[in-house]
Amino acid sequence: MKLIGYFRSSAAFRVRIALNLKGIAVEHASRHLRRGEQSSADYAAINPQKLVPALVLDDGQVLTQSLAILEYLEETHPEPAILPKDPVARARVRALSLIVSADIHPIQNLRVMAYLRQKFGQTEESAFTWSRHWIETGFDAYEATLKQGGAGTYSHGDRPTMADLCLVPQVFNAARFKVDMQRYPLIGRIHEACMKLPAFDAAQPSKQPDAEP
């Protein structure tokens, strides 16, 4: 299989963690998002959304959307599991994952930031303020959900789940946008626990072949 991503992409980061956790070896390829390489005709033929990641399977079929890819990896490589077996627990993990992947990430990613600047004349500072607001709004909800119960060493119990795969890349983004993480002690503790695991550490942006300062 081949994973097409970008070192700083949160969505690609999620998939890299899952691949590492499950011990799945893939070829890595990169599309430089800031240079617009994802908009080229050859990549649009692979992923019409012109986003990363895309997972190219051995038979040439292409999977897109990081959560769909995570679900595929879980179904085809069930151990170690990133979703609990209990239906209520699975729903909780998916809900935490969606706080990040559906409610935070899409409205503060690179193309949204670029649109704010290009079409609405926002400055770099005001665009950063926009992003920081939506990260904080989502983290407020995530932290409150953790306080309601279910969290252990990780977001759900004492083994990493899909929720942690979504949370950790967003914490990396939060640092870029200068979010005050002191507001989120549970998120901070879980992030620290995750980054002690080799699968998470090896997936971080700075350790990717296409990493830049």
Side-chain angles (χ1 to χ4, degrees):
M1 293 190 291
K2 178 167 69 173
L3 179 67
I4 305 172
Y6 176 60
F7 78 103
R8 199 173 277 159
S9 161
S10 294
F13 192 169
R14 298 167 197 154
V15 176
R16 292 195 301 264
I17 298 169
L19 291 168
N20 292 344
L21 278 173
K22 292 177 178 292
I24 304 170
V26 299
E27 175 188 350
H28 288 271
S30 175
R31 292 285 168 157
H32 199 296
L33 300 187
R34 290 191 175 275
R35 295 177 189 157
E37 292 177 359
Q38 73 280 15
S39 297
S40 65
D42 68 317
Y43 187 66
I46 296 172
N47 183 357
Q49 274 196 294
K50 305 176 187 177
L51 299 172
V52 296
L55 184 66
V56 184
L57 304 182
D58 291 336
D59 62 3
Q61 293 187 84
V62 179
L63 303 180
T64 62
Q65 288 291 338
S66 62
L67 262 63
I69 293 172
L70 295 182
E71 295 272 4
Y72 167 81
L73 295 175
E74 180 74 347
E75 290 170 1
T76 56
H77 299 77
E79 293 296 333
I82 57 172
L83 285 169
K85 289 185 169 56
D86 175 70
V88 173
R90 289 169 77 89
R92 180 179 184 274
V93 167
R94 286 185 170 119
L96 286 168
S97 303
L98 289 166
I99 288 175
V100 175
S101 64
D103 295 333
I104 300 177
H105 178 234
I107 51 177
Q108 55 90 192
N109 66 9
L110 184 64
R111 63 179 182 170
V112 170
M113 296 278 284
Y115 194 78
L116 285 171
R117 288 190 290 265
Q118 295 166 7
K119 300 296 183 180
F120 294 98
Q122 297 298 306
T123 64
E124 191 73 13
E125 182 180 354
S126 61
F128 262 56
T129 299
W130 163 279
S131 292
R132 190 162 51 245
H133 168 76
W134 292 114
I135 295 171
E136 290 171 349
T137 298
F139 275 8
D140 286 344
Y142 201 107
E143 184 86 2
T145 303
L146 294 175
K147 289 178 181 177
Q148 289 176 345
T153 304
Y154 305 104
S155 294
H156 185 86
D158 294 320
R159 58 190 295 177
T161 64
M162 183 188 291
D164 304 300
L165 274 59
C166 292
L167 177 65
V168 165
Q170 192 60 60
V171 173
F172 272 73
N173 266 355
R176 290 179 53 226
F177 291 112
K178 301 186 180 351
V179 172
D180 179 10
M181 292 304 297
Q182 297 300 314
R183 293 175 50 181
Y184 309 108
L186 290 178
I187 289 176
R189 176 181 62 73
I190 289 166
H191 176 261
E192 183 178 355
C194 287
M195 292 310 297
K196 290 178 181 177
L197 300 176
F200 283 79
D201 179 63
Q204 66 173 289
S206 65
K207 297 191 174 182
Q208 303 317 302
D210 60 330
E212 298 174 351

